[in-house]
Amino acid sequence: MSSLRESVTDASLPVVNALNRLPRAVPFLVVLALMVAGIFVPGWGWLFLAVVVAFLAWTLYLAWPALDSGARAGRVAVLLLAVAITVTQAVPRS
């Protein structure tokens, strides 16, 4: 019986391979564009940020076993920052 991690890794393999074929700047620029759009689009722009949070969480989950504690802490901090921005945009002060 395979573990959840193995199942997620196996299911993610085609997407990871497709991302690896892209130039390194492309995923970064897409995430950056989604973050900027999520911050500046009023109302439903937080959905762009939610996509970024899901992507960051997915890549963190896949990379977790290979990361040392410093890299883990840095990536968790970035993920938490993205979550905070998303929540701020989704539930604005009135």
Side-chain angles (χ1 to χ4, degrees):
M1 178 180 251
S2 65
S3 70
L4 176 63
R5 179 169 301 283
E6 291 170 346
S7 298
V8 171
T9 301
D10 291 342
S12 299
L13 192 58
V15 177
V16 171
N17 286 335
L19 287 172
N20 282 334
R21 285 192 294 271
L22 294 173
R24 291 209 139 180
V26 171
F28 170 76
L29 292 174
V30 169
V31 168
L32 180 64
L34 287 171
M35 289 291 291
V36 169
I39 292 170
F40 290 112
V41 172
W44 53 270
W46 65 270
L47 293 172
F48 295 129
L49 296 168
V51 170
V52 171
V53 167
F55 177 74
L56 292 175
W58 171 66
T59 57
L60 177 61
Y61 182 79
L62 292 176
W64 191 266
L67 298 174
D68 62 5
S69 60
R72 286 179 180 173
R75 291 187 187 197
V76 167
V78 169
L79 180 62
L80 291 176
L81 179 63
V83 168
I85 294 170
T86 303
V87 169
T88 302
Q89 290 295 102
V91 186
R93 287 192 262 174
S94 21

